[in-house]
Structure formats: structure tokens, C-alpha cells
Amino acid sequence: MNNLMRRAQNVQLWRKYCVKQYTTEAASAALSRGKPNYDEFIAGRQVQAQRSIVVQVSSEKSYSELYNYCSRFGSIVGAHHYCVRHDDDLHYILLEYSTAHEAAAAIDSGATNGDLSGVPVRSPFLWFKAAPGKRGPKLAPNNNNNNNIHHPPTSDLQSVDGTRQLDQEALLSQLRGAESIEQQVQLLHRHTQLNDLGVRMRFLAALQVQQAISGMFPAAQAHPFGSSVNGFGKMGCDLDLILRFDGETGGRKQSSGEPPSRLIYHTKENLSNGRSQTQRHMECFGDMLHLFLPGVCHVRRILQARVPIIKYHHEHLNLEVDLSMSNLSGFYMSELLYMFGEIDSRVRPLTFSIRRWAQACGLTNPSPGRWISNFSLTCLVMYFLQQLRQPILPTIGALVKAAEAKDVRVTEDGINCTFGRDLERVGFQSRNTSSLSELLLQFFEFYSQFDFHNRAISLNEGRQLSKPDHSAMYIVNPLEQLLNVSKNVSLEECERLRIEVRNAAWILESEVENSSLPQSERQEETWGLLNLFKHPEKAIIRPNMFFKPRMVEVSDLFEEKHQQLQSTIGPASTGEAVATAAPSVAYKNVSVRQQVQSIKAATRTELKQLRGSSSAAAAPSPSTKNRRSR
Ligand code: GTP
Ligand code: MG
């Protein structure tokens, strides 16, 4: 009964919260002010989604006609065109009205199409039918419609083909033309981050699910989380969605003056345990999405995972969606990452470069497995920024200390997600003035030295701890401190990470030196960051790759060219000779090539260390000293 009461109270508070706070313009105002906190950001985007509809058209040229038709429902304040590319290009225009009522009026005016089979569903996804009297499905462009008065749009489309990503070649050419590594990092971030339209589309996907079930579940909330909202998402990233029925997301349980209602919804008592009940519910929602929701296709149920999810593709948005019902801590984790990104403007560009590098050398992979996930990698970056002599990020412990009553969040399974949300109150100021290229190099150097074998990483304390178990990599889960975020990472993958960070440190060190030369004197077109991203053949991880024996033929390591180089350069420089000669060796088998490269990298590091340890007896070799000086 207490539970029933508590839920009833929550529902009531949540409704009040929705109506009084977030359906007003306050949240959108916070959004347009530029520095919204996470709750304001989420709520502002939700309000924006409620004011929006998506209409399939024959091309962007239909905008004028669509604008004219749809203006009858209200005032259109924004319009964005995008394409979904299948065999043909499918064109869509996202229209934003000035109020949610106007968008609702447009949706409610929708008719069913007799030609199409399927149960009619009310959703913000619509199709602009050709005006009566016109032949065929094609729409006539511009002012050729059946309304008496034509109103030209008050503004142009804000984007045309607005989700098109910069193709690889164009991106590389931008990076080649940059003036410094610093600028390359910034450009990579600017050109690959999820854009405004991408965020709008993700909030519309969430709203569609929420509205579809709102008749039966009035308190249901579908919230985007993960990289779609935490500021670390790139164009085309998946949408992580959490579906809640009790309003327990965000700061929604503020007390209000009004007493809770005495009219309590009857609910159906469920006797099975929580997990199997969630799985059963998800199965049911999965069927519902699959059978009825326009755009939803390829629905897959992954119900045995630690966090059961329904995966689907949204064909009108060209979007992969992971829907969960029981991962509130993941939602609050996104808030933590969002705050970290807001604290310092270097955090997001740096993380983008590191994620890109990891993708390029095949350390990460979109499917889950024994490799490091983007989330764990992001935690490594955050920890690196916390432990600097002049930290760039505060510890999570410091955020927890700054919490006030309004920051209290405890999930239904008892996970405490309370931390200070007001950055001014947290009062963290970094005195670190390092550039992005310095930080990038320091990141690689830091993890080259990190003792993954014995040490665990704690973002809560911003320091290393001894490892509590034998996992290859241990990152304390910031919100469930008994769990390891990187438990999935295998010993081999952890080793590969160590090798790749060493390689990257090695490459970047010489790139930093090279980048100080004027552009005209740079030897190669591919320079700076681009040399970190030069492993396209490694980008695909084949699941069985690491079951194969990893032995390498010794003869593979020694080729004529090495010997020639060694004889010209001399024995003291063997490490460099191997490095210089490496690209000229052609291996038939990719996996052998990778192994050889790994062994060479490890040998170079050992050589470096040997030189270091012999420096007590002799002065360091000039070449080593020069390479190290910055
Ligand atoms: P991409 O999807 O690769 O772009 O990154 P992502 O950050 O969205 O990662 P993912 O989809 O794997 O996870 C979504 C979100 O769930 C993350 O951003 C975290 O907020 C949260 N999350 C994932 N794994 C964990 C975990 O082990 N613990 C906690 N507390 N949260 C997690
Ligand atoms: Mg994600």
C-alpha cells in the first residue's frame, strides 16, 4: 500500500511538474539562453518535440506548399529538411510550431489513407499527400496548391539534407588543411558531433513511444539518455531510451503546496519477481511497437542482458534505438557526463578525438563484446582529466558533497544518484592551461604507464585503488560502486589498449614536433591527428580473431630492408630503424601484421625503458632526449 501511495504521489507531483514548469516556455528559454542544466536541457528538448511534427514529402521543394498547408494549424517557427537514403532518397521535413497545441491540431487533422493497410495510429509522423486533382504521388513544388491564398514561408528551411554527414574524404581534407593539432581536434569535434536536428529527431522518437502508450499509462515518460544527450554523441549515434511509468526521472519529486490526491488508481497486482516482470512487460511493449508504431522496424528483444532492452530501427528517422525500462542509473550517469562536458570546453573535443582514434585502431566496435565500450573509454578520459596535477574535472565525490535537498535522487532499486547539479555551487575552477594537443599526448602517455594489472580507477575519488578482483580492467561504476564498468574487457583487449596507447603516444610525440614547422615545410599531407587515425584495416573486429593462435613466425620480423637499415643506422638506433621500416613490409594476413606491429611497439617501449634505466650510468642518447622534450 505504501508503494501504491508513493507512486500515486509521484504521479501527481510529476503531472504538476509537467504542467506548471515544463510545458511553459521556461525550459525552452533556458535552452535558448545557452547554458541549460541537464534537467532544463532534457525538458526544453521535450517541449520542442511536443511542438514538432515530421512530414514525409517528395523533396525539399515541397516546403513552400507544406508550409502553406500546415500554417492553418498555427504559427510555424522552424523547419528542417532531411533525407533517409534507401534505394531511393526519402525526404522529410520537421516542422516546429510555436505551441504544442498547434502541433497537436496538425496531428489531429490527420486522415487515414484508404490505400494503406495497417491500424491507424496517432503519431507525429505524417505523410503529405498530393493535392486532390493531381495525378500520381508526386507533389508539385511551390505555390501550386489548392488553397485560395498562398502564404510564402516567413523563413527558409533551416537545413536542407540536415543529417548528411561530412564524408570521410571531406573530413580528412578539412583536417589536413588545419593549422595545428589543436585546430584539428576542434574541427573533428565540430564536424562530427550530433547536430541540433539530430537531437530534435531523437526527442521525437522518444515522444512517439510516450504518446503511443499515454492513454493507458498517463504517467509514462520516455527519456533519451546516453550519447544522444550527454554531449558526447556523434552524428548517427544510437538513441538510448528509458521508459518509466512513475515519473522517476529528473528532479521531478519536488514537494508542492497541494496535498496529494485521495483518488488512487487501482492497479493490477503482479506477483512475479521484478526482473521477470520487467522482461514480460518489455516483451509486450516490443510487440506493440512492432505491430503498431509507424517507422518502427527490425524489433529485437534482448531480455536476458543485465539491463534488458528492446532494440529497433526507426525508418523515418534512420535511427537505431535501444529501449530499456530499468536503467535509471544509466540516465543519471548521462547527466554526470553532461555536467563534465559543461565544466570545461576542452572535455568534449578531447573525448571525440580519443573515441575516433579508438575506433580507427579497432579498439572499439559498435556491437558489445570483450572490447572496451565507448562509455568505459569516456570514463578513462574523465579520470585522466581528474587526476592531472592541475585537474580539469572535479571528482564525483566533490559533486556529491555539493548536493542539496533538491538533488536527491534514489532509484527504485536503491541506487543513490545524488550529486550537486548546480555547477556554481560546486565551485570548481581549473587552473590547467594545457592545449588540446598537449592533453591528448598526456592522455596516451598516462595510460601507457598505467598499471591496469593491479590498479582500479575511481572517478568518485579521482584516484587509483587496488583492484578488488581479477578483471583485466577495473573502472569503479560511479553510481554503483560495487560494480565494474569495464568488466566485459578481456585480458587481450586490455593488452591491446596498452599497446595502442603506447603507439599513439609515440606517433603523436613526433607529430607535435612536426606540427611546429610551418605548413609549407611539413613533409607529408597526412599529419597530426590524421596519423593517429591511419588504421582502417583494424576498424573491424572479427569475433573469432582472438581465438586464433597468436604466434608469429620469427622470420616475419626480419626482412632484408630491416637488415639494410640496421647496418646503415647502427645498433644503437634499432628501435627507430624497425619503426621506420615497418610500413614497407607487406604481410598477407592482417592479423599477423597487427601482431607484428604490436610486438614492435612493445619492443620499442622496452628499448626506451632500457635506455631510461641505463641513464644512471650514461647520458641519455641525444635522439631520445630530443624526442621527449616539449
Ligand atoms: P555510444 O552509444 O557508443 O555513442 O555511447 P553511449 O554513451 O550512448 O554508450 P551506451 O549506448 O553504451 O550507453 C548509454 C549510456 O548508459 C551511457 O552514456 C551511460 O550513461 C550509461 N551506461 C552505460 N554503461 C553503464 C554502466 O556500466 N554503468 C552506468 N552507471 N551507466 C552506464
Ligand atoms: Mg548509446
Side-chain angles (χ1 to χ4, degrees), residues 361-397:
C361 58
L363 285 171
T364 51
N365 186 295
S367 57
R370 293 179 302 153
W371 33 88
I372 189 166
S373 66
N374 265 336
F375 174 64
S376 295
L377 187 64
T378 308
C379 289
L380 292 187
V381 184
M382 300 304 122
Y383 172 66
F384 159 72
L385 294 172
Q386 288 176 329
Q387 60 72 50
L388 291 166
R389 190 164 300 169
Q390 297 287 355
I392 289 182
L393 288 178
T395 64
I396 295 177

mmCIF file of all heavy atoms in Angstrom, residues 361-397:
data_model
loop_
_atom_site.group_PDB
_atom_site.id
_atom_site.type_symbol
_atom_site.label_atom_id
_atom_site.label_comp_id
_atom_site.label_asym_id
_atom_site.label_seq_id
_atom_site.Cartn_x
_atom_site.Cartn_y
_atom_site.Cartn_z
ATOM 1 N N CYS A 361 41.603 2.345 -34.648
ATOM 2 C CA CYS A 361 42.510 1.208 -34.470
ATOM 3 C C CYS A 361 41.770 -0.022 -33.963
ATOM 4 O O CYS A 361 42.398 -0.970 -33.504
ATOM 5 C CB CYS A 361 43.742 1.589 -33.647
ATOM 6 S SG CYS A 361 43.414 2.229 -32.051
ATOM 7 N N GLY A 362 40.450 -0.003 -34.093
ATOM 8 C CA GLY A 362 39.683 -1.225 -33.819
ATOM 9 C C GLY A 362 39.572 -1.579 -32.350
ATOM 10 O O GLY A 362 39.230 -2.700 -32.000
ATOM 11 N N LEU A 363 39.869 -0.614 -31.459
ATOM 12 C CA LEU A 363 39.715 -0.906 -30.030
ATOM 13 C C LEU A 363 38.244 -0.918 -29.642
ATOM 14 O O LEU A 363 37.833 -1.642 -28.745
ATOM 15 C CB LEU A 363 40.443 0.153 -29.190
ATOM 16 C CG LEU A 363 41.951 0.058 -29.140
ATOM 17 C CD1 LEU A 363 42.537 1.279 -28.465
ATOM 18 C CD2 LEU A 363 42.393 -1.209 -28.419
ATOM 19 N N THR A 364 37.446 -0.071 -30.288
ATOM 20 C CA THR A 364 36.008 -0.063 -30.004
ATOM 21 C C THR A 364 35.267 -0.548 -31.238
ATOM 22 O O THR A 364 35.802 -0.537 -32.350
ATOM 23 C CB THR A 364 35.502 1.347 -29.650
ATOM 24 O OG1 THR A 364 35.935 2.249 -30.665
ATOM 25 C CG2 THR A 364 35.994 1.810 -28.316
ATOM 26 N N ASN A 365 34.054 -0.939 -31.012
ATOM 27 C CA ASN A 365 33.244 -1.540 -32.061
ATOM 28 C C ASN A 365 31.789 -1.292 -31.678
ATOM 29 O O ASN A 365 31.452 -1.383 -30.504
ATOM 30 C CB ASN A 365 33.555 -3.047 -32.042
ATOM 31 C CG ASN A 365 32.894 -3.774 -33.161
ATOM 32 O OD1 ASN A 365 31.678 -3.839 -33.221
ATOM 33 N ND2 ASN A 365 33.691 -4.323 -34.040
ATOM 34 N N PRO A 366 30.935 -0.963 -32.639
ATOM 35 C CA PRO A 366 29.551 -0.640 -32.264
ATOM 36 C C PRO A 366 28.829 -1.777 -31.532
ATOM 37 O O PRO A 366 27.971 -1.522 -30.709
ATOM 38 C CB PRO A 366 28.867 -0.375 -33.610
ATOM 39 C CG PRO A 366 29.965 -0.114 -34.572
ATOM 40 C CD PRO A 366 31.192 -0.795 -34.068
ATOM 41 N N SER A 367 29.202 -3.023 -31.798
ATOM 42 C CA SER A 367 28.494 -4.092 -31.086
ATOM 43 C C SER A 367 29.215 -4.384 -29.769
ATOM 44 O O SER A 367 30.434 -4.247 -29.674
ATOM 45 C CB SER A 367 28.441 -5.349 -31.942
ATOM 46 O OG SER A 367 29.744 -5.721 -32.272
ATOM 47 N N PRO A 368 28.451 -4.765 -28.734
ATOM 48 C CA PRO A 368 29.104 -5.028 -27.455
ATOM 49 C C PRO A 368 29.913 -6.324 -27.521
ATOM 50 O O PRO A 368 29.601 -7.208 -28.306
ATOM 51 C CB PRO A 368 27.927 -5.159 -26.477
ATOM 52 C CG PRO A 368 26.731 -5.442 -27.309
ATOM 53 C CD PRO A 368 27.007 -4.972 -28.705
ATOM 54 N N GLY A 369 30.951 -6.419 -26.725
ATOM 55 C CA GLY A 369 31.777 -7.625 -26.757
ATOM 56 C C GLY A 369 32.871 -7.517 -25.715
ATOM 57 O O GLY A 369 32.708 -6.805 -24.715
ATOM 58 N N ARG A 370 34.009 -8.182 -25.987
ATOM 59 C CA ARG A 370 35.065 -8.199 -24.973
ATOM 60 C C ARG A 370 36.011 -7.025 -25.131
ATOM 61 O O ARG A 370 37.079 -6.974 -24.561
ATOM 62 C CB ARG A 370 35.819 -9.523 -25.066
ATOM 63 C CG ARG A 370 34.893 -10.657 -24.645
ATOM 64 C CD ARG A 370 35.561 -11.976 -24.746
ATOM 65 N NE ARG A 370 36.024 -12.237 -26.083
ATOM 66 C CZ ARG A 370 37.055 -13.020 -26.365
ATOM 67 N NH1 ARG A 370 37.757 -13.546 -25.390
ATOM 68 N NH2 ARG A 370 37.399 -13.261 -27.603
ATOM 69 N N TRP A 371 35.632 -6.079 -25.962
ATOM 70 C CA TRP A 371 36.445 -4.889 -26.156
ATOM 71 C C TRP A 371 35.879 -3.749 -25.310
ATOM 72 O O TRP A 371 34.740 -3.807 -24.840
ATOM 73 C CB TRP A 371 36.480 -4.485 -27.632
ATOM 74 C CG TRP A 371 35.221 -4.784 -28.359
ATOM 75 C CD1 TRP A 371 34.138 -3.981 -28.475
ATOM 76 C CD2 TRP A 371 34.903 -5.994 -29.065
ATOM 77 N NE1 TRP A 371 33.170 -4.597 -29.213
ATOM 78 C CE2 TRP A 371 33.609 -5.838 -29.582
ATOM 79 C CE3 TRP A 371 35.598 -7.184 -29.297
ATOM 80 C CZ2 TRP A 371 32.985 -6.829 -30.328
ATOM 81 C CZ3 TRP A 371 34.975 -8.164 -30.038
ATOM 82 C CH2 TRP A 371 33.690 -7.979 -30.551
ATOM 83 N N ILE A 372 36.656 -2.705 -25.184
ATOM 84 C CA ILE A 372 36.229 -1.574 -24.344
ATOM 85 C C ILE A 372 35.073 -0.850 -25.035
ATOM 86 O O ILE A 372 35.064 -0.683 -26.256
ATOM 87 C CB ILE A 372 37.434 -0.644 -24.060
ATOM 88 C CG1 ILE A 372 37.056 0.415 -23.015
ATOM 89 C CG2 ILE A 372 37.963 0.023 -25.330
ATOM 90 C CD1 ILE A 372 38.255 1.136 -22.427
ATOM 91 N N SER A 373 34.060 -0.448 -24.251
ATOM 92 C CA SER A 373 32.922 0.285 -24.829
ATOM 93 C C SER A 373 33.265 1.773 -24.876
ATOM 94 O O SER A 373 34.173 2.232 -24.169
ATOM 95 C CB SER A 373 31.672 0.081 -23.977
ATOM 96 O OG SER A 373 31.874 0.679 -22.713
ATOM 97 N N ASN A 374 32.522 2.496 -25.685
ATOM 98 C CA ASN A 374 32.718 3.945 -25.731
ATOM 99 C C ASN A 374 32.524 4.564 -24.357
ATOM 100 O O ASN A 374 33.193 5.522 -23.985
ATOM 101 C CB ASN A 374 31.708 4.570 -26.696
ATOM 102 C CG ASN A 374 32.308 4.749 -28.064
ATOM 103 O OD1 ASN A 374 33.524 4.845 -28.207
ATOM 104 N ND2 ASN A 374 31.453 4.798 -29.071
ATOM 105 N N PHE A 375 31.593 3.996 -23.597
ATOM 106 C CA PHE A 375 31.318 4.551 -22.273
ATOM 107 C C PHE A 375 32.537 4.367 -21.347
ATOM 108 O O PHE A 375 32.955 5.309 -20.667
ATOM 109 C CB PHE A 375 30.057 3.906 -21.678
ATOM 110 C CG PHE A 375 29.800 4.321 -20.267
ATOM 111 C CD1 PHE A 375 29.526 5.654 -19.959
ATOM 112 C CD2 PHE A 375 29.847 3.402 -19.227
ATOM 113 C CE1 PHE A 375 29.310 6.056 -18.653
ATOM 114 C CE2 PHE A 375 29.622 3.789 -17.917
ATOM 115 C CZ PHE A 375 29.357 5.119 -17.627
ATOM 116 N N SER A 376 33.110 3.152 -21.353
ATOM 117 C CA SER A 376 34.291 2.922 -20.499
ATOM 118 C C SER A 376 35.454 3.810 -20.946
ATOM 119 O O SER A 376 36.187 4.367 -20.123
ATOM 120 C CB SER A 376 34.739 1.465 -20.569
ATOM 121 O OG SER A 376 33.754 0.641 -20.020
ATOM 122 N N LEU A 377 35.594 3.950 -22.256
ATOM 123 C CA LEU A 377 36.671 4.788 -22.783
ATOM 124 C C LEU A 377 36.465 6.240 -22.320
ATOM 125 O O LEU A 377 37.419 6.925 -21.924
ATOM 126 C CB LEU A 377 36.664 4.710 -24.314
ATOM 127 C CG LEU A 377 37.807 5.386 -25.037
ATOM 128 C CD1 LEU A 377 39.141 4.729 -24.703
ATOM 129 C CD2 LEU A 377 37.596 5.330 -26.556
ATOM 130 N N THR A 378 35.229 6.672 -22.347
ATOM 131 C CA THR A 378 34.932 8.033 -21.880
ATOM 132 C C THR A 378 35.293 8.166 -20.396
ATOM 133 O O THR A 378 35.838 9.183 -19.973
ATOM 134 C CB THR A 378 33.433 8.352 -22.117
ATOM 135 O OG1 THR A 378 33.136 8.076 -23.484
ATOM 136 C CG2 THR A 378 33.105 9.802 -21.811
ATOM 137 N N CYS A 379 35.017 7.104 -19.617
ATOM 138 C CA CYS A 379 35.391 7.142 -18.195
ATOM 139 C C CYS A 379 36.912 7.269 -18.052
ATOM 140 O O CYS A 379 37.397 7.990 -17.171
ATOM 141 C CB CYS A 379 34.923 5.874 -17.474
ATOM 142 S SG CYS A 379 33.153 5.788 -17.243
ATOM 143 N N LEU A 380 37.660 6.583 -18.936
ATOM 144 C CA LEU A 380 39.126 6.711 -18.870
ATOM 145 C C LEU A 380 39.543 8.163 -19.113
ATOM 146 O O LEU A 380 40.433 8.688 -18.450
ATOM 147 C CB LEU A 380 39.811 5.811 -19.909
ATOM 148 C CG LEU A 380 39.744 4.293 -19.730
ATOM 149 C CD1 LEU A 380 40.623 3.599 -20.774
ATOM 150 C CD2 LEU A 380 40.192 3.865 -18.344
ATOM 151 N N VAL A 381 38.870 8.809 -20.065
ATOM 152 C CA VAL A 381 39.221 10.213 -20.354
ATOM 153 C C VAL A 381 38.879 11.090 -19.138
ATOM 154 O O VAL A 381 39.680 11.932 -18.722
ATOM 155 C CB VAL A 381 38.486 10.736 -21.609
ATOM 156 C CG1 VAL A 381 38.932 12.157 -21.939
ATOM 157 C CG2 VAL A 381 38.708 9.837 -22.811
ATOM 158 N N MET A 382 37.696 10.855 -18.551
ATOM 159 C CA MET A 382 37.276 11.695 -17.417
ATOM 160 C C MET A 382 38.249 11.528 -16.249
ATOM 161 O O MET A 382 38.630 12.488 -15.599
ATOM 162 C CB MET A 382 35.848 11.330 -16.957
ATOM 163 C CG MET A 382 34.775 11.493 -18.016
ATOM 164 S SD MET A 382 34.674 13.145 -18.729
ATOM 165 C CE MET A 382 34.924 12.772 -20.452
ATOM 166 N N TYR A 383 38.648 10.267 -16.014
ATOM 167 C CA TYR A 383 39.571 10.025 -14.904
ATOM 168 C C TYR A 383 40.917 10.711 -15.172
ATOM 169 O O TYR A 383 41.485 11.355 -14.280
ATOM 170 C CB TYR A 383 39.770 8.522 -14.680
ATOM 171 C CG TYR A 383 40.849 8.252 -13.674
ATOM 172 C CD1 TYR A 383 40.677 8.628 -12.334
ATOM 173 C CD2 TYR A 383 42.063 7.694 -14.052
ATOM 174 C CE1 TYR A 383 41.691 8.433 -11.406
ATOM 175 C CE2 TYR A 383 43.080 7.496 -13.133
ATOM 176 C CZ TYR A 383 42.884 7.870 -11.816
ATOM 177 O OH TYR A 383 43.893 7.699 -10.899
ATOM 178 N N PHE A 384 41.388 10.598 -16.406
ATOM 179 C CA PHE A 384 42.647 11.247 -16.759
ATOM 180 C C PHE A 384 42.570 12.752 -16.437
ATOM 181 O O PHE A 384 43.502 13.331 -15.872
ATOM 182 C CB PHE A 384 42.950 11.002 -18.242
ATOM 183 C CG PHE A 384 43.901 11.993 -18.838
ATOM 184 C CD1 PHE A 384 45.249 11.961 -18.512
ATOM 185 C CD2 PHE A 384 43.446 12.990 -19.703
ATOM 186 C CE1 PHE A 384 46.131 12.898 -19.041
ATOM 187 C CE2 PHE A 384 44.319 13.927 -20.222
ATOM 188 C CZ PHE A 384 45.668 13.889 -19.892
ATOM 189 N N LEU A 385 41.429 13.356 -16.764
ATOM 190 C CA LEU A 385 41.290 14.806 -16.545
ATOM 191 C C LEU A 385 41.151 15.159 -15.057
ATOM 192 O O LEU A 385 41.445 16.271 -14.645
ATOM 193 C CB LEU A 385 40.085 15.339 -17.333
ATOM 194 C CG LEU A 385 40.235 15.248 -18.863
ATOM 195 C CD1 LEU A 385 38.930 15.603 -19.556
ATOM 196 C CD2 LEU A 385 41.365 16.155 -19.355
ATOM 197 N N GLN A 386 40.713 14.173 -14.262
ATOM 198 C CA GLN A 386 40.590 14.421 -12.812
ATOM 199 C C GLN A 386 41.934 14.328 -12.098
ATOM 200 O O GLN A 386 42.171 15.026 -11.119
ATOM 201 C CB GLN A 386 39.680 13.359 -12.183
ATOM 202 C CG GLN A 386 38.209 13.488 -12.506
ATOM 203 C CD GLN A 386 37.418 12.327 -11.910
ATOM 204 O OE1 GLN A 386 37.918 11.207 -11.778
ATOM 205 N NE2 GLN A 386 36.185 12.593 -11.542
ATOM 206 N N GLN A 387 42.794 13.410 -12.590
ATOM 207 C CA GLN A 387 43.999 13.111 -11.809
ATOM 208 C C GLN A 387 45.189 13.999 -12.176
ATOM 209 O O GLN A 387 46.262 13.837 -11.621
ATOM 210 C CB GLN A 387 44.336 11.620 -11.923
ATOM 211 C CG GLN A 387 44.611 11.119 -13.335
ATOM 212 C CD GLN A 387 45.931 11.602 -13.903
ATOM 213 O OE1 GLN A 387 46.964 11.467 -13.233
ATOM 214 N NE2 GLN A 387 45.913 12.166 -15.110
ATOM 215 N N LEU A 388 45.008 14.925 -13.139
ATOM 216 C CA LEU A 388 46.107 15.805 -13.524
ATOM 217 C C LEU A 388 46.580 16.625 -12.321
ATOM 218 O O LEU A 388 45.794 16.897 -11.407
ATOM 219 C CB LEU A 388 45.634 16.760 -14.635
ATOM 220 C CG LEU A 388 45.353 16.115 -15.992
ATOM 221 C CD1 LEU A 388 44.573 17.081 -16.886
ATOM 222 C CD2 LEU A 388 46.662 15.714 -16.660
ATOM 223 N N ARG A 389 47.839 17.031 -12.354
ATOM 224 C CA ARG A 389 48.334 17.847 -11.231
ATOM 225 C C ARG A 389 47.450 19.084 -11.060
ATOM 226 O O ARG A 389 47.099 19.471 -9.966
ATOM 227 C CB ARG A 389 49.784 18.238 -11.484
ATOM 228 C CG ARG A 389 50.431 18.872 -10.290
ATOM 229 C CD ARG A 389 51.914 18.908 -10.415
ATOM 230 N NE ARG A 389 52.473 17.558 -10.548
ATOM 231 C CZ ARG A 389 53.728 17.307 -10.890
ATOM 232 N NH1 ARG A 389 54.546 18.284 -11.128
ATOM 233 N NH2 ARG A 389 54.173 16.071 -10.988
ATOM 234 N N GLN A 390 47.081 19.665 -12.187
ATOM 235 C CA GLN A 390 46.072 20.741 -12.160
ATOM 236 C C GLN A 390 44.813 20.147 -12.794
ATOM 237 O O GLN A 390 44.655 20.182 -14.019
ATOM 238 C CB GLN A 390 46.519 21.942 -13.004
ATOM 239 C CG GLN A 390 47.764 22.637 -12.547
ATOM 240 C CD GLN A 390 47.505 23.440 -11.278
ATOM 241 O OE1 GLN A 390 46.370 23.544 -10.813
ATOM 242 N NE2 GLN A 390 48.548 23.987 -10.695
ATOM 243 N N PRO A 391 43.911 19.583 -11.985
ATOM 244 C CA PRO A 391 42.784 18.855 -12.579
ATOM 245 C C PRO A 391 41.910 19.743 -13.448
ATOM 246 O O PRO A 391 41.767 20.939 -13.196
ATOM 247 C CB PRO A 391 41.990 18.366 -11.363
ATOM 248 C CG PRO A 391 42.906 18.487 -10.210
ATOM 249 C CD PRO A 391 43.881 19.574 -10.518
ATOM 250 N N ILE A 392 41.348 19.119 -14.478
ATOM 251 C CA ILE A 392 40.412 19.837 -15.355
ATOM 252 C C ILE A 392 38.985 19.485 -14.965
ATOM 253 O O ILE A 392 38.048 20.235 -15.231
ATOM 254 C CB ILE A 392 40.732 19.500 -16.833
ATOM 255 C CG1 ILE A 392 42.045 20.189 -17.203
ATOM 256 C CG2 ILE A 392 39.616 19.923 -17.788
ATOM 257 C CD1 ILE A 392 42.500 20.016 -18.624
ATOM 258 N N LEU A 393 38.812 18.359 -14.270
ATOM 259 C CA LEU A 393 37.478 17.978 -13.799
ATOM 260 C C LEU A 393 37.519 17.689 -12.304
ATOM 261 O O LEU A 393 38.515 17.151 -11.801
ATOM 262 C CB LEU A 393 37.005 16.715 -14.529
ATOM 263 C CG LEU A 393 36.625 16.871 -15.997
ATOM 264 C CD1 LEU A 393 36.217 15.529 -16.586
ATOM 265 C CD2 LEU A 393 35.495 17.887 -16.171
ATOM 266 N N PRO A 394 36.427 17.979 -11.603
ATOM 267 C CA PRO A 394 36.369 17.624 -10.181
ATOM 268 C C PRO A 394 36.071 16.131 -10.033
ATOM 269 O O PRO A 394 35.633 15.483 -10.986
ATOM 270 C CB PRO A 394 35.183 18.451 -9.672
ATOM 271 C CG PRO A 394 34.289 18.593 -10.860
ATOM 272 C CD PRO A 394 35.191 18.626 -12.068
ATOM 273 N N THR A 395 36.285 15.607 -8.842
ATOM 274 C CA THR A 395 35.897 14.209 -8.602
ATOM 275 C C THR A 395 34.377 14.159 -8.430
ATOM 276 O O THR A 395 33.739 15.185 -8.133
ATOM 277 C CB THR A 395 36.543 13.681 -7.313
ATOM 278 O OG1 THR A 395 36.017 14.435 -6.218
ATOM 279 C CG2 THR A 395 38.054 13.818 -7.362
ATOM 280 N N ILE A 396 33.821 12.961 -8.601
ATOM 281 C CA ILE A 396 32.374 12.839 -8.377
ATOM 282 C C ILE A 396 32.080 13.046 -6.889
ATOM 283 O O ILE A 396 31.061 13.612 -6.511
ATOM 284 C CB ILE A 396 31.868 11.473 -8.885
ATOM 285 C CG1 ILE A 396 32.049 11.436 -10.409
ATOM 286 C CG2 ILE A 396 30.403 11.250 -8.515
ATOM 287 C CD1 ILE A 396 31.667 10.157 -11.075
ATOM 288 N N GLY A 397 33.044 12.636 -6.051
ATOM 289 C CA GLY A 397 32.896 12.865 -4.615
ATOM 290 C C GLY A 397 32.655 14.347 -4.320
ATOM 291 O O GLY A 397 31.825 14.697 -3.478
#
